[in-house]
Amino acid sequence: MKGHFKNILCILSDTHKQDEVVAQAIHIARRHQAKLTIQLKLEALPPNANMVMQSFAYLETHSSIESNAKAWLNEHIQNWAKEYPVTGEVTIGENFIDVIKYIIRNDVDLVIKLSDADIVERFFGSNDMQLLRKCPCPVWVVHRGESKQYDSIVAALDLNYHYPTHEISVRKKLNLDILRYAARIALMEFAQLHIVHVYDVVPESILRGGFISVDEDALQNDLEGIYAEREDELNRLLNELDKELDEGSLDYLKPEKHLVHGYPRREIAATAKAVGARAVVMGTVARLGVPGFIMGGTAEETLHQLHCAVVGIKPEGFISPITIDEE
């Protein structure tokens, strides 16, 4: 069943206070009895460095960085391995591109990393967003000080299937996958599972701008119809999940359903905050089958409003635009 991890990669982007995210990775790996690799990923020297340094000095500096980084990592691996079997490696290069190539080559099925954000108001750095967009496996991004045991997990679902026919089955599978991962995490953490879906009839910006007139009774009828439609689909998904989980697991989880009328780009994050979410599991791909669309506006805006960990899931069949043979 999806949601069970076998090969986990924990990425460290520097050597500053990394014990927290490693402890979280060990916690997850232990629960899943998964292989765990700690990768210290450092940026390469600036492109113009070889222009101002003689070639031998450039190569010597690069070698020195790598050697010192390996020494640091090996020292820490010895301590971390006392808690759980773990291997380590150092890579130097373009952050997200090289990481994704490594993930593809080694069949990694979960990436865990500390957010690259460097200011309070921004919760996801540029490399975080690139991984959430383009990494072929789930990406679990935690924020410093937030990687303790999670007691409230949110599965954010898009139950709107009013899309071209070829997209609908993929969207249904993605919703079920999100539920699978969220349920696994909730069971692993002995946490409360919340399921959030936000729906609307007429986009708020159109109503607010007065571009159309709306019959309030008709609008209310439409809202009631949409609510019933989305509730039926959610119940169907939960029935599917119940068949896959161990007997009694869904009854134990007692997931709380939140079908919220409002503007998805605002209300997904607001609802997650209201239920005290410690982690949100969500899809991080936009319109399926539309070239050039890797992450949509709703997902992107939601991510930047969340002040908790995020587990980003891709739909079945997603192929990363990064290939292992690209230079």
Side-chain angles (χ1 to χ4, degrees):
M1 174 181 165
K2 289 186 178 180
H4 177 73
F5 305 114
K6 297 179 180 179
N7 188 11
I8 299 173
L9 177 67
C10 177
I11 301 170
L12 311 182
S13 56
D14 58 47
T15 59
H16 180 63
K17 295 182 178 178
Q18 296 291 346
D19 285 340
E20 181 180 16
V21 69
V22 172
Q24 181 67 24
I26 288 174
H27 170 70
I28 295 168
R30 180 182 288 118
R31 292 293 179 91
H32 289 260
Q33 290 299 292
K35 175 185 176 183
L36 176 59
T37 302
I38 309 294
Q39 183 184 82
L40 177 58
K41 183 71 185 72
L42 302 177
E43 293 187 30
L45 290 171
N48 64 335
N50 61 353
M51 297 173 62
V52 298
M53 302 169 67
Q54 295 182 10
S55 58
F56 70 85
Y58 177 85
L59 293 173
E60 183 178 332
T61 302
H62 186 281
S63 176
S64 176
I65 292 172
E66 186 172 15
S67 176
N68 290 336
K70 285 181 177 178
W72 179 92
L73 184 59
N74 288 337
E75 179 183 347
H76 284 75
I77 286 287
Q78 291 179 23
N79 290 326
W80 294 327
K82 294 174 184 177
E83 299 293 325
Y84 189 80
V86 56
T87 58
E89 73 161 48
V90 172
T91 58
I92 300 176
E94 294 184 67
N95 274 351
F96 78 92
I97 293 176
D98 287 346
V99 167
I100 291 175
K101 288 180 180 180
Y102 178 92
I103 290 163
I104 295 170
R105 287 193 192 100
N106 294 276
D107 294 322
V108 172
D109 56 15
L110 175 67
V111 172
I112 302 173
K113 73 181 300 295
L114 196 64
S115 173
D116 286 334
D118 55 8
I119 58 175
V120 173
E121 290 81 7
R122 191 178 71 215
F123 285 87
F124 292 89
S126 60
N127 287 313
D128 304 329
M129 297 303 290
Q130 293 288 6
L131 285 172
L132 286 164
R133 291 184 184 109
K134 300 176 182 178
C135 179
C137 70
V139 178
W140 190 323
V141 182
V142 301
H143 301 290
R144 201 175 297 281
E146 292 293 327
S147 57
K148 59 189 74 171
Q149 183 173 345
Y150 303 138
D151 54 12
S152 180
I153 307 298
V154 165
L157 305 183
D158 180 3
L159 302 173
N160 177 10
Y161 299 146
H162 297 278
Y163 289 97
T165 303
H166 71 276
E167 291 190 36
I168 295 173
S169 64
V170 179
R171 288 180 176 276
K172 288 182 177 181
K173 290 177 182 177
L174 177 59
N175 280 325
L176 186 54
D177 281 347
I178 292 169
L179 271 181
R180 286 167 172 146
Y181 282 108
R184 281 281 189 179
I185 295 169
L187 288 168
M188 178 181 74
E189 299 290 336
F190 307 103
Q192 175 63 55
L193 175 61
H194 297 269
I195 304 169
V196 174
H197 169 65
V198 179
Y199 65 95
D200 60 0
V201 179
V202 180
E204 186 182 80
S205 59
I206 295 177
L207 282 175
R208 190 171 56 241
F211 297 119
I212 60 173
S213 59
V214 176
D215 182 292
E216 291 298 329
D217 290 337
L219 179 63
Q220 188 58 40
N221 286 335
D222 285 346
L223 286 173
E224 291 173 1
I226 290 174
Y227 182 94
E229 170 191 274
R230 307 298 162 82
E231 186 177 40
D232 286 346
E233 173 58 13
L234 178 52
N235 288 334
R236 185 192 71 80
L237 289 169
L238 286 171
N239 286 335
E240 288 293 314
L241 181 66
D242 193 25
K243 295 174 186 176
E244 299 179 6
L245 294 174
D246 293 337
E247 186 176 355
S249 293
L250 196 63
D251 288 336
Y252 169 79
L253 283 173
K254 292 184 175 62
E256 293 188 14
K257 297 182 284 188
H258 307 267
L259 299 176
V260 180
H261 172 225
Y263 190 44
R265 296 189 183 197
R266 180 179 61 237
E267 296 300 331
I268 294 173
T271 306
K273 182 179 180 180
V275 301
R278 300 300 299 275
V280 172
V281 184
M282 62 183 290
T284 55
V285 172
R287 288 292 307 279
L288 306 174
V290 180
F293 284 76
I294 295 175
M295 184 181 291
T298 298
E300 192 122 0
E301 287 192 35
T302 299
L303 284 166
H304 283 299
Q305 295 173 65
L306 293 172
H307 299 177
C308 62
V310 166
V311 183
I313 307 297
K314 302 298 191 307
E316 185 176 288
F318 173 83
I319 299 175
S320 174
I322 306 300
T323 60
I324 57 175
D325 58 351
E326 106 179 18
E327 295 297 330

